[in-house]
Amino acid sequence: MQKEYEEKTGRAHKPLSPKQNVRKNLDFEPLSTTALILEDRPANLPAKPAEEAQKHRQQYEEMVVQAKKRELKEAQKRKKQLEERCKLEDSIGNAVLTWNNEILPNWETMCCSRKVRELWWQGIPPSVRGKVWSLAIGNELNITHELYDICLARAKEKWRSLSTGGAEVECEDAGFSAADREASLELIKLDISRTFPSLCIFQQGGPYHDMLHSILGAYTCYRPDVGYVQGMSFIAAVLILNLDTADAFIAFSNLLNKPCQMAFFRVDHGLMLTYFAAFEVFFEENLPKLFAHFKKNNLTPDIYLIDWIFTLYSKSLPLDLACRVWDVFCRDGEEFLFRTALGILKLFEDILTKMDFIHIAQFLTKLPEDLPSEEFFTSIAAIQMQSRNKKWAQILAALQKDNREMEKGSPSLKR
Amino acid sequence: MAQETTPGTSLEGSHPTYTYKVVLLGSMSVGKSSLAYRYVKNDFREFLPTVGCSFFTYTHNLESATVKFEIWDTAGQEKYQSVCHLYYRNAHAALLVYDIAKKETLKKAKLWLEELEKKFLPDEIVIALVGNKTDLAAEREVTTEEGAEFARTNGLLFMETSAKSNHQVNDIFMAIVQELLRREKEKASAPSPHERSTIDLKEGTPKRRCCWL
């Protein structure tokens, strides 16, 4: 019987071209078909009539052929994936060389060239990512490693006085009271263990726990007026994954100092509203149908944008995609955050138009985990950040101006 | 009060469907998301801190009615409050959650109550006080009596729960369902002069928008 099987599988392969046969020998071992063995009826039972036996043999052959086909197809798919991965690795390898040898040494002159911008869009190779982010974010605040050490030392002092229980003071006044700052430090501890728990590296005892703790603590001492705001731990964590502690701190502080981030992390309500309004201008322009659907359902942008902007997508997108969003965010600035949001809405436009308020809210605050990266970036690329010849910055500035004029009319607490 | 989504609810022996907005409020890390997750999925897992708001839905198929809950799980950090404090707009029920092992979280829950009392009439919203984390009994800082007493004097539903060990989570949500249905019934049998029990169709759209002004 075994012999017969071999003969059959051999026959099943006859129609293949020699080339395919070679691949077959190299690539795969028939696994599942070995279970398909045609057995004759046991000797103690009457034999099958010849006609029936013939029919069964035929059916069996068909089954084997089908199984073979399937296997071959899968093997080819695997091979294709492997080839693609190799290609990807090659292109990453080449990109690393280009970044290291050509772009980084000539940063100032090259960073805005078309070629670099295109390479940038493809995603920065992880090995140079931190360097590129640092350069692109810059250090407007002129923070030095020494300043970081000073801030950290201060934070450590605070933690010590907190743990000895010396300061259970409660302060009722507004602003950043002592109690507030302590609550911030307390909160950091709580949140660190809740930052990317699935990676298991930021939790107590994990390799990056202390780094994350240090950066966030130092920041509350560096900017007591901002303090710790939930969402920051994710930003700091993503930076730590790509940079050394002190450099991560420098990037973190400078990143948060950008106008959009400052508006959000200081919870400047009026300014946040302006950002949402600007976002809606481009939303309507790019996705008018979905925009109308959201309006009809009273789905305001704050519902989904707050989480996305506060954490720079690091909580809502898979980490590798989030890093690619960060890449282009470092290149294009805040408008890319809003472009990304529109890209997400565009990608899921068909599903979203069929949903009601609560399901849209649920969907957007918990995006599918298996977001296809290429489709995702194609979708973002299709978003036009121009509305009636006006760019993001112009729309935003115009809205801000309107706001200021409105506020001038009535005395307001807002800046 | 609730959005009725079944046509012909006035028919005798009908089975109405009610949709309610339920909002979870409380300090950070008292277990708001965990309570919602336990209730909706009957499971416990570690949650990332909620930034802004997250959403859950749950449908109760009861003998007398179908009750749909739209659960708004808000961020706990105080800093977010100026952004999130309007998320409770047009809520039909609120759970004020505190951590029995952290006394100051009860204080915060009391502040939330004050805020809600300013914005809602007593019959407009069902409020429940929830002392979570009974699994941390050894570290308890708030006695059951203290919570219960505060709830009693303020007319709140009250229960101590543990999302982790699944203690009374379902019960507190069921208590809210029962209270909401009791109020529906009460209103149906004694319609007030301005017919509060009818659905407000004048607005056209459900009033659950978070207003930013």
Side-chain angles (χ1 to χ4, degrees), chain A residues 170 187 190-191 193-194 197 226 228-230 267 269 273 296 298 300 302-303 306-307 310 315 357-358 361-362 365, chain B residues 28-29 45-53 55-57 70 72 77 79-80 82-83 87 107 205-206 208-210 212:
Chain A
E170 288 219 20
L187 231 169
L190 265 168
D191 271 2
S193 62
R194 303 197 287 173
V226 181
Y228 173 75
V229 182
Q230 284 190 318
V267 200
H269 209 151
L273 280 178
K296 199 180 83 200
N298 282 322
T300 44
D302 57 288
I303 296 280
I306 286 185
D307 177 81
F310 265 103
K315 197 169 143 249
F357 172 90
I358 192 78
Q362 241 180 326
T365 47
Chain B
M28 44 130 228
S29 217
R45 66 176 175 91
E46 199 159 353
F47 267 90
L48 311 185
T50 307
V51 175
C53 198
F55 301 86
F56 298 87
T57 51
E70 297 181 355
W72 292 50
Q77 192 184 3
K79 285 232 170 71
Y80 280 114
S82 61
V83 183
Y87 281 160
K107 244 186 250 165
T205 45
R208 54 182 160 199
R209 177 183 147 80
C210 159
W212 276 87

Short mmCIF file of all heavy atoms in Angstrom, two decimals, chain A residues 170 187 190-191 193-194 197 226 228-230 267 269 273 296 298 300 302-303 306-307 310 315 357-358 361-362 365, chain B residues 28-29 45-53 55-57 70 72 77 79-80 82-83 87 107 205-206 208-210 212:
data_model
loop_
_atom_site.label_atom_id
_atom_site.label_comp_id
_atom_site.label_asym_id
_atom_site.label_seq_id
_atom_site.Cartn_x
_atom_site.Cartn_y
_atom_site.Cartn_z
N GLU A 170 -2.28 68.75 53.20
CA GLU A 170 -3.31 68.94 52.19
C GLU A 170 -3.47 70.42 51.92
O GLU A 170 -3.54 71.23 52.83
CB GLU A 170 -4.63 68.34 52.66
CG GLU A 170 -4.53 66.84 52.62
CD GLU A 170 -5.81 66.21 52.13
OE1 GLU A 170 -6.61 66.92 51.49
OE2 GLU A 170 -6.01 65.04 52.43
N LEU A 187 1.10 59.14 41.64
CA LEU A 187 0.46 58.67 40.41
C LEU A 187 1.45 58.01 39.45
O LEU A 187 1.14 57.03 38.81
CB LEU A 187 -0.11 59.90 39.70
CG LEU A 187 -1.55 59.87 39.26
CD1 LEU A 187 -1.95 61.26 38.84
CD2 LEU A 187 -1.75 58.90 38.14
N LEU A 190 1.96 54.51 40.30
CA LEU A 190 0.82 53.69 39.90
C LEU A 190 0.81 53.41 38.40
O LEU A 190 0.52 52.31 37.96
CB LEU A 190 -0.47 54.44 40.24
CG LEU A 190 -1.10 54.09 41.57
CD1 LEU A 190 -2.18 55.09 41.90
CD2 LEU A 190 -1.67 52.69 41.52
N ASP A 191 1.12 54.46 37.64
CA ASP A 191 0.98 54.33 36.19
C ASP A 191 2.12 53.56 35.54
O ASP A 191 1.92 52.93 34.51
CB ASP A 191 0.89 55.72 35.55
CG ASP A 191 -0.54 56.19 35.49
OD1 ASP A 191 -1.43 55.45 35.97
OD2 ASP A 191 -0.80 57.29 34.96
N SER A 193 3.51 50.86 36.37
CA SER A 193 3.21 49.43 36.27
C SER A 193 2.11 49.20 35.22
O SER A 193 1.91 48.07 34.78
CB SER A 193 2.78 48.89 37.62
OG SER A 193 1.61 49.55 38.03
N ARG A 194 1.42 50.26 34.84
CA ARG A 194 0.35 50.08 33.87
C ARG A 194 0.77 50.54 32.48
O ARG A 194 -0.07 50.75 31.61
CB ARG A 194 -0.90 50.86 34.31
CG ARG A 194 -1.39 50.45 35.70
CD ARG A 194 -2.80 50.89 35.93
NE ARG A 194 -2.93 52.33 36.14
CZ ARG A 194 -4.11 52.94 36.23
NH1 ARG A 194 -5.22 52.26 36.08
NH2 ARG A 194 -4.16 54.24 36.44
N PRO A 197 1.98 46.97 29.86
CA PRO A 197 2.19 45.80 30.73
C PRO A 197 2.54 44.55 29.95
O PRO A 197 3.26 43.69 30.45
CB PRO A 197 0.85 45.64 31.46
CG PRO A 197 -0.13 46.46 30.71
CD PRO A 197 0.63 47.53 30.01
N VAL A 226 3.39 71.89 34.96
CA VAL A 226 2.66 70.91 34.15
C VAL A 226 2.42 69.65 34.98
O VAL A 226 1.32 69.11 35.03
CB VAL A 226 3.44 70.55 32.86
CG1 VAL A 226 2.66 69.54 32.03
CG2 VAL A 226 3.75 71.79 32.05
N TYR A 228 2.73 65.73 36.33
CA TYR A 228 2.52 64.47 35.62
C TYR A 228 1.07 64.39 35.18
O TYR A 228 0.15 64.62 35.96
CB TYR A 228 2.87 63.27 36.51
CG TYR A 228 2.50 61.97 35.84
CD1 TYR A 228 3.28 61.47 34.81
CD2 TYR A 228 1.36 61.27 36.21
CE1 TYR A 228 2.93 60.31 34.15
CE2 TYR A 228 1.00 60.09 35.56
CZ TYR A 228 1.79 59.62 34.54
OH TYR A 228 1.44 58.47 33.88
N VAL A 229 0.86 64.08 33.93
CA VAL A 229 -0.50 63.89 33.42
C VAL A 229 -0.57 62.50 32.80
O VAL A 229 0.35 62.09 32.08
CB VAL A 229 -0.85 64.96 32.36
CG1 VAL A 229 -2.29 64.79 31.88
CG2 VAL A 229 -0.65 66.35 32.91
N GLN A 230 -1.63 61.79 33.09
CA GLN A 230 -1.76 60.44 32.55
C GLN A 230 -1.66 60.47 31.04
O GLN A 230 -2.24 61.33 30.38
CB GLN A 230 -3.08 59.82 33.00
CG GLN A 230 -3.01 59.39 34.45
CD GLN A 230 -4.20 58.55 34.88
OE1 GLN A 230 -5.33 58.86 34.51
NE2 GLN A 230 -3.96 57.53 35.66
N VAL A 267 -3.97 70.85 29.82
CA VAL A 267 -5.43 70.79 29.73
C VAL A 267 -5.99 72.21 29.54
O VAL A 267 -6.87 72.65 30.27
CB VAL A 267 -6.05 70.08 30.95
CG1 VAL A 267 -7.45 69.60 30.62
CG2 VAL A 267 -5.22 68.87 31.36
N HIS A 269 -8.27 74.04 27.99
CA HIS A 269 -9.52 73.65 27.36
C HIS A 269 -9.81 74.43 26.07
O HIS A 269 -10.15 73.84 25.04
CB HIS A 269 -10.62 73.90 28.37
CG HIS A 269 -11.76 72.99 28.18
ND1 HIS A 269 -12.56 72.60 29.22
CD2 HIS A 269 -12.25 72.41 27.08
CE1 HIS A 269 -13.49 71.79 28.74
NE2 HIS A 269 -13.32 71.66 27.47
N LEU A 273 -10.01 72.96 22.25
CA LEU A 273 -11.19 73.12 21.40
C LEU A 273 -10.82 73.66 20.03
O LEU A 273 -11.38 73.25 19.02
CB LEU A 273 -12.18 74.08 22.07
CG LEU A 273 -13.04 73.49 23.17
CD1 LEU A 273 -13.92 74.57 23.77
CD2 LEU A 273 -13.90 72.37 22.60
N LYS A 296 -24.40 63.81 12.90
CA LYS A 296 -25.76 63.34 13.16
C LYS A 296 -25.81 62.57 14.48
O LYS A 296 -26.78 62.63 15.22
CB LYS A 296 -26.20 62.43 12.00
CG LYS A 296 -27.70 62.24 11.90
CD LYS A 296 -28.06 61.34 10.73
CE LYS A 296 -27.92 59.89 11.12
NZ LYS A 296 -27.79 59.00 9.97
N ASN A 298 -23.88 63.09 16.98
CA ASN A 298 -23.28 63.90 18.05
C ASN A 298 -21.95 63.35 18.53
O ASN A 298 -21.64 63.41 19.72
CB ASN A 298 -24.22 64.00 19.24
CG ASN A 298 -25.32 64.98 18.98
OD1 ASN A 298 -25.08 66.03 18.37
ND2 ASN A 298 -26.51 64.65 19.40
N THR A 300 -18.46 63.90 18.93
CA THR A 300 -17.48 64.99 18.87
C THR A 300 -16.05 64.42 18.87
O THR A 300 -15.83 63.33 19.39
CB THR A 300 -17.67 65.92 20.08
OG1 THR A 300 -17.84 65.10 21.24
CG2 THR A 300 -18.90 66.79 19.90
N ASP A 302 -13.48 65.03 20.59
CA ASP A 302 -12.84 64.79 21.88
C ASP A 302 -12.95 63.33 22.30
O ASP A 302 -12.05 62.78 22.92
CB ASP A 302 -13.45 65.67 22.97
CG ASP A 302 -14.95 65.45 23.08
OD1 ASP A 302 -15.67 65.89 22.18
OD2 ASP A 302 -15.40 64.81 24.04
N ILE A 303 -14.06 62.69 21.92
CA ILE A 303 -14.29 61.30 22.30
C ILE A 303 -13.12 60.40 21.91
O ILE A 303 -12.70 59.55 22.69
CB ILE A 303 -15.59 60.77 21.63
CG1 ILE A 303 -16.82 61.55 22.13
CG2 ILE A 303 -15.76 59.28 21.79
CD1 ILE A 303 -17.33 61.13 23.47
N ILE A 306 -8.77 62.74 22.25
CA ILE A 306 -8.07 62.97 23.51
C ILE A 306 -7.05 61.86 23.75
O ILE A 306 -5.87 62.12 23.96
CB ILE A 306 -9.06 63.10 24.69
CG1 ILE A 306 -9.74 64.47 24.60
CG2 ILE A 306 -8.35 62.93 26.03
CD1 ILE A 306 -10.64 64.79 25.75
N ASP A 307 -7.49 60.63 23.66
CA ASP A 307 -6.57 59.52 23.90
C ASP A 307 -5.46 59.49 22.84
O ASP A 307 -4.28 59.33 23.16
CB ASP A 307 -7.36 58.21 23.89
CG ASP A 307 -6.47 57.00 24.06
OD1 ASP A 307 -6.12 56.71 25.21
OD2 ASP A 307 -6.10 56.37 23.05
N PHE A 310 -3.04 62.66 23.41
CA PHE A 310 -2.31 62.62 24.67
C PHE A 310 -1.20 61.57 24.64
O PHE A 310 -0.12 61.80 25.15
CB PHE A 310 -3.25 62.31 25.84
CG PHE A 310 -3.75 63.55 26.53
CD1 PHE A 310 -5.03 64.02 26.31
CD2 PHE A 310 -2.95 64.24 27.42
CE1 PHE A 310 -5.50 65.16 26.94
CE2 PHE A 310 -3.40 65.37 28.06
CZ PHE A 310 -4.69 65.84 27.82
N LYS A 315 -0.76 54.22 22.78
CA LYS A 315 -1.63 53.32 23.53
C LYS A 315 -2.64 52.66 22.59
O LYS A 315 -3.07 51.54 22.84
CB LYS A 315 -2.35 54.13 24.61
CG LYS A 315 -2.97 53.34 25.70
CD LYS A 315 -3.42 54.25 26.82
CE LYS A 315 -4.70 53.76 27.42
NZ LYS A 315 -5.85 54.58 27.15
N PHE A 357 -23.68 55.92 17.76
CA PHE A 357 -22.76 56.63 18.63
C PHE A 357 -21.89 55.72 19.48
O PHE A 357 -20.67 55.75 19.42
CB PHE A 357 -23.53 57.61 19.55
CG PHE A 357 -22.64 58.22 20.59
CD1 PHE A 357 -21.98 59.41 20.33
CD2 PHE A 357 -22.44 57.61 21.82
CE1 PHE A 357 -21.14 59.98 21.27
CE2 PHE A 357 -21.61 58.16 22.77
CZ PHE A 357 -20.96 59.34 22.49
N ILE A 358 -22.55 54.90 20.28
CA ILE A 358 -21.79 54.15 21.29
C ILE A 358 -20.83 53.17 20.63
O ILE A 358 -19.72 52.96 21.11
CB ILE A 358 -22.73 53.44 22.30
CG1 ILE A 358 -21.94 52.93 23.50
CG2 ILE A 358 -23.51 52.30 21.67
CD1 ILE A 358 -21.59 53.98 24.50
N ALA A 361 -17.84 55.09 19.28
CA ALA A 361 -16.99 55.49 20.40
C ALA A 361 -16.19 54.29 20.89
O ALA A 361 -14.98 54.40 21.13
CB ALA A 361 -17.85 56.05 21.53
N GLN A 362 -16.85 53.16 21.00
CA GLN A 362 -16.18 51.95 21.46
C GLN A 362 -15.08 51.53 20.47
O GLN A 362 -13.97 51.21 20.86
CB GLN A 362 -17.21 50.82 21.53
CG GLN A 362 -17.36 50.25 22.91
CD GLN A 362 -18.39 49.14 22.94
OE1 GLN A 362 -19.38 49.15 22.21
NE2 GLN A 362 -18.16 48.18 23.79
N THR A 365 -12.05 54.05 20.42
CA THR A 365 -11.21 54.07 21.62
C THR A 365 -10.53 52.72 21.84
O THR A 365 -9.73 52.58 22.75
CB THR A 365 -12.02 54.46 22.88
OG1 THR A 365 -13.23 53.71 22.91
CG2 THR A 365 -12.34 55.93 22.88
N MET B 28 -8.47 58.17 40.21
CA MET B 28 -7.75 57.25 39.35
C MET B 28 -7.40 55.98 40.11
O MET B 28 -7.22 56.00 41.32
CB MET B 28 -6.49 57.91 38.82
CG MET B 28 -5.74 58.67 39.89
SD MET B 28 -4.04 58.24 39.91
CE MET B 28 -3.74 57.94 41.62
N SER B 29 -7.38 54.91 39.36
CA SER B 29 -6.94 53.63 39.91
C SER B 29 -7.82 53.08 41.04
O SER B 29 -7.35 52.31 41.86
CB SER B 29 -5.50 53.75 40.41
OG SER B 29 -4.82 52.57 40.15
N ARG B 45 -8.69 41.88 34.27
CA ARG B 45 -7.34 42.01 33.71
C ARG B 45 -6.80 43.38 34.09
O ARG B 45 -7.54 44.25 34.53
CB ARG B 45 -7.34 41.84 32.21
CG ARG B 45 -8.08 42.94 31.45
CD ARG B 45 -7.90 42.69 29.95
NE ARG B 45 -8.67 43.63 29.17
CZ ARG B 45 -8.21 44.80 28.74
NH1 ARG B 45 -6.99 45.19 29.06
NH2 ARG B 45 -8.96 45.60 28.01
N GLU B 46 -5.52 43.54 33.90
CA GLU B 46 -4.91 44.81 34.22
C GLU B 46 -5.27 45.82 33.15
O GLU B 46 -5.25 45.51 31.97
CB GLU B 46 -3.40 44.64 34.28
CG GLU B 46 -2.76 45.75 35.03
CD GLU B 46 -1.38 45.37 35.54
OE1 GLU B 46 -1.00 44.20 35.40
OE2 GLU B 46 -0.71 46.25 36.06
N PHE B 47 -5.61 47.02 33.56
CA PHE B 47 -5.98 48.04 32.60
C PHE B 47 -4.91 49.10 32.46
O PHE B 47 -4.27 49.47 33.43
CB PHE B 47 -7.28 48.71 33.02
CG PHE B 47 -8.46 48.05 32.38
CD1 PHE B 47 -9.09 47.00 33.02
CD2 PHE B 47 -8.89 48.44 31.14
CE1 PHE B 47 -10.15 46.36 32.42
CE2 PHE B 47 -9.95 47.81 30.52
CZ PHE B 47 -10.58 46.77 31.16
N LEU B 48 -4.76 49.59 31.24
CA LEU B 48 -3.93 50.77 31.05
C LEU B 48 -4.73 51.94 31.59
O LEU B 48 -5.95 51.90 31.56
CB LEU B 48 -3.64 50.98 29.57
CG LEU B 48 -3.16 49.75 28.80
CD1 LEU B 48 -2.80 50.15 27.38
CD2 LEU B 48 -1.96 49.12 29.47
N PRO B 49 -4.06 52.97 32.07
CA PRO B 49 -4.82 54.12 32.57
C PRO B 49 -5.71 54.67 31.46
O PRO B 49 -5.31 54.75 30.31
CB PRO B 49 -3.74 55.12 32.96
CG PRO B 49 -2.44 54.57 32.50
CD PRO B 49 -2.62 53.13 32.22
N THR B 50 -6.94 54.99 31.83
CA THR B 50 -7.87 55.52 30.84
C THR B 50 -7.52 56.98 30.57
O THR B 50 -7.39 57.78 31.49
CB THR B 50 -9.31 55.43 31.36
OG1 THR B 50 -9.55 54.08 31.77
CG2 THR B 50 -10.31 55.82 30.29
N VAL B 51 -7.35 57.30 29.31
CA VAL B 51 -7.10 58.68 28.92
C VAL B 51 -8.35 59.14 28.19
O VAL B 51 -8.75 58.53 27.21
CB VAL B 51 -5.87 58.77 28.00
CG1 VAL B 51 -5.67 60.19 27.50
CG2 VAL B 51 -4.63 58.30 28.72
N GLY B 52 -9.00 60.18 28.73
CA GLY B 52 -10.26 60.60 28.14
C GLY B 52 -11.37 59.71 28.65
O GLY B 52 -11.71 59.75 29.82
N CYS B 53 -11.90 58.88 27.79
CA CYS B 53 -13.06 58.08 28.17
C CYS B 53 -13.03 56.79 27.37
O CYS B 53 -12.57 56.78 26.23
CB CYS B 53 -14.32 58.88 27.81
SG CYS B 53 -15.80 58.32 28.63
N PHE B 55 -15.48 53.12 26.45
CA PHE B 55 -16.90 52.82 26.36
C PHE B 55 -17.18 51.33 26.38
O PHE B 55 -16.41 50.54 25.83
CB PHE B 55 -17.47 53.41 25.06
CG PHE B 55 -17.28 54.90 24.99
CD1 PHE B 55 -16.10 55.43 24.48
CD2 PHE B 55 -18.26 55.76 25.44
CE1 PHE B 55 -15.90 56.81 24.43
CE2 PHE B 55 -18.07 57.13 25.39
CZ PHE B 55 -16.89 57.66 24.89
N PHE B 56 -18.26 50.97 27.03
CA PHE B 56 -18.70 49.59 27.06
C PHE B 56 -20.21 49.55 26.81
O PHE B 56 -20.90 50.53 27.08
CB PHE B 56 -18.44 48.95 28.44
CG PHE B 56 -17.00 48.90 28.83
CD1 PHE B 56 -16.40 49.97 29.47
CD2 PHE B 56 -16.25 47.76 28.57
CE1 PHE B 56 -15.06 49.92 29.85
CE2 PHE B 56 -14.91 47.70 28.95
CZ PHE B 56 -14.32 48.77 29.59
N THR B 57 -20.69 48.43 26.31
CA THR B 57 -22.14 48.28 26.21
C THR B 57 -22.53 46.95 26.85
O THR B 57 -21.75 46.00 26.87
CB THR B 57 -22.61 48.23 24.74
OG1 THR B 57 -21.83 47.27 24.03
CG2 THR B 57 -22.47 49.59 24.08
N GLU B 70 -25.23 51.89 28.06
CA GLU B 70 -24.06 52.47 27.40
C GLU B 70 -23.17 53.01 28.51
O GLU B 70 -23.51 53.99 29.16
CB GLU B 70 -24.46 53.61 26.47
CG GLU B 70 -25.35 53.16 25.33
CD GLU B 70 -25.72 54.31 24.40
OE1 GLU B 70 -25.36 55.47 24.69
OE2 GLU B 70 -26.37 54.04 23.40
N TRP B 72 -20.04 54.73 30.11
CA TRP B 72 -18.95 55.70 29.87
C TRP B 72 -17.98 55.59 31.04
O TRP B 72 -18.33 55.91 32.18
CB TRP B 72 -19.49 57.13 29.80
CG TRP B 72 -20.35 57.42 28.62
CD1 TRP B 72 -21.41 56.69 28.17
CD2 TRP B 72 -20.23 58.55 27.74
NE1 TRP B 72 -21.95 57.29 27.07
CE2 TRP B 72 -21.27 58.43 26.79
CE3 TRP B 72 -19.37 59.64 27.69
CZ2 TRP B 72 -21.45 59.37 25.78
CZ3 TRP B 72 -19.55 60.57 26.69
CH2 TRP B 72 -20.58 60.44 25.73
N GLN B 77 -7.82 60.79 36.57
CA GLN B 77 -6.91 61.82 37.06
C GLN B 77 -7.60 63.18 37.09
O GLN B 77 -8.29 63.58 36.16
CB GLN B 77 -5.65 61.92 36.19
CG GLN B 77 -4.59 62.77 36.87
CD GLN B 77 -3.34 62.99 36.02
OE1 GLN B 77 -3.27 62.55 34.88
NE2 GLN B 77 -2.38 63.68 36.59
N LYS B 79 -6.55 66.07 36.78
CA LYS B 79 -6.17 67.01 35.71
C LYS B 79 -7.12 66.93 34.53
O LYS B 79 -7.36 67.91 33.85
CB LYS B 79 -4.76 66.68 35.22
CG LYS B 79 -3.68 67.12 36.17
CD LYS B 79 -2.64 67.96 35.46
CE LYS B 79 -1.69 68.62 36.42
NZ LYS B 79 -0.77 67.66 37.04
N TYR B 80 -7.64 65.74 34.28
CA TYR B 80 -8.51 65.56 33.14
C TYR B 80 -9.91 66.09 33.39
O TYR B 80 -10.73 66.14 32.49
CB TYR B 80 -8.63 64.07 32.78
CG TYR B 80 -7.48 63.54 32.00
CD1 TYR B 80 -6.63 62.58 32.52
CD2 TYR B 80 -7.25 63.99 30.70
CE1 TYR B 80 -5.57 62.09 31.79
CE2 TYR B 80 -6.19 63.50 29.97
CZ TYR B 80 -5.36 62.56 30.51
OH TYR B 80 -4.31 62.07 29.78
N SER B 82 -11.34 68.90 33.92
CA SER B 82 -11.91 70.01 33.19
C SER B 82 -12.32 69.58 31.79
O SER B 82 -13.18 70.18 31.18
CB SER B 82 -10.92 71.17 33.13
OG SER B 82 -9.78 70.76 32.45
N VAL B 83 -11.72 68.50 31.31
CA VAL B 83 -12.09 68.00 29.99
C VAL B 83 -13.25 67.03 30.10
O VAL B 83 -14.15 67.02 29.28
CB VAL B 83 -10.89 67.25 29.36
CG1 VAL B 83 -11.24 66.78 27.97
CG2 VAL B 83 -9.67 68.13 29.32
N TYR B 87 -18.67 64.67 30.64
CA TYR B 87 -19.03 63.36 30.11
C TYR B 87 -20.26 62.79 30.80
O TYR B 87 -20.88 61.88 30.29
CB TYR B 87 -17.85 62.39 30.24
CG TYR B 87 -16.80 62.57 29.17
CD1 TYR B 87 -15.51 62.09 29.34
CD2 TYR B 87 -17.10 63.22 27.97
CE1 TYR B 87 -14.55 62.26 28.36
CE2 TYR B 87 -16.14 63.39 26.99
CZ TYR B 87 -14.87 62.91 27.19
OH TYR B 87 -13.91 63.08 26.22
N LYS B 107 -13.45 60.60 49.69
CA LYS B 107 -13.64 62.06 49.70
C LYS B 107 -13.93 62.56 48.30
O LYS B 107 -14.78 63.41 48.08
CB LYS B 107 -12.35 62.71 50.22
CG LYS B 107 -12.54 63.43 51.54
CD LYS B 107 -11.26 64.16 51.89
CE LYS B 107 -10.59 63.49 53.08
NZ LYS B 107 -9.21 63.91 53.26
N THR B 205 -32.41 64.25 18.16
CA THR B 205 -31.29 63.33 18.39
C THR B 205 -31.15 63.08 19.88
O THR B 205 -31.54 63.91 20.69
CB THR B 205 -29.98 63.94 17.88
OG1 THR B 205 -29.93 65.28 18.33
CG2 THR B 205 -29.91 63.89 16.38
N PRO B 206 -30.61 61.95 20.21
CA PRO B 206 -30.44 61.67 21.64
C PRO B 206 -29.52 62.71 22.28
O PRO B 206 -28.55 63.15 21.67
CB PRO B 206 -29.79 60.29 21.66
CG PRO B 206 -29.37 60.01 20.27
CD PRO B 206 -30.20 60.85 19.37
N ARG B 208 -26.89 63.22 24.28
CA ARG B 208 -25.81 62.62 25.05
C ARG B 208 -24.48 63.19 24.61
O ARG B 208 -23.44 62.60 24.72
CB ARG B 208 -25.80 61.12 24.88
CG ARG B 208 -25.76 60.75 23.41
CD ARG B 208 -25.81 59.29 23.28
NE ARG B 208 -26.25 58.94 21.97
CZ ARG B 208 -26.73 57.76 21.65
NH1 ARG B 208 -26.89 56.87 22.56
NH2 ARG B 208 -27.06 57.48 20.44
N ARG B 209 -24.58 64.31 24.05
CA ARG B 209 -23.41 64.94 23.50
C ARG B 209 -22.56 65.50 24.62
O ARG B 209 -23.05 65.96 25.63
CB ARG B 209 -23.94 66.05 22.63
CG ARG B 209 -22.94 66.90 21.98
CD ARG B 209 -23.75 67.97 21.25
NE ARG B 209 -23.00 69.20 21.27
CZ ARG B 209 -22.02 69.43 20.42
NH1 ARG B 209 -21.70 68.53 19.55
NH2 ARG B 209 -21.37 70.56 20.46
N CYS B 210 -21.28 65.39 24.44
CA CYS B 210 -20.42 66.07 25.39
C CYS B 210 -20.22 67.48 24.90
O CYS B 210 -19.69 67.71 23.83
CB CYS B 210 -19.07 65.37 25.47
SG CYS B 210 -17.83 66.45 26.12
N TRP B 212 -18.70 71.14 24.91
CA TRP B 212 -17.38 71.63 25.27
C TRP B 212 -17.38 73.04 25.78
O TRP B 212 -16.33 73.64 25.90
CB TRP B 212 -16.46 71.53 24.05
CG TRP B 212 -15.91 70.18 23.95
CD1 TRP B 212 -16.46 69.12 23.33
CD2 TRP B 212 -14.70 69.72 24.53
NE1 TRP B 212 -15.68 68.04 23.48
CE2 TRP B 212 -14.59 68.37 24.21
CE3 TRP B 212 -13.71 70.33 25.30
CZ2 TRP B 212 -13.51 67.63 24.64
CZ3 TRP B 212 -12.64 69.57 25.71
CH2 TRP B 212 -12.56 68.24 25.39
#
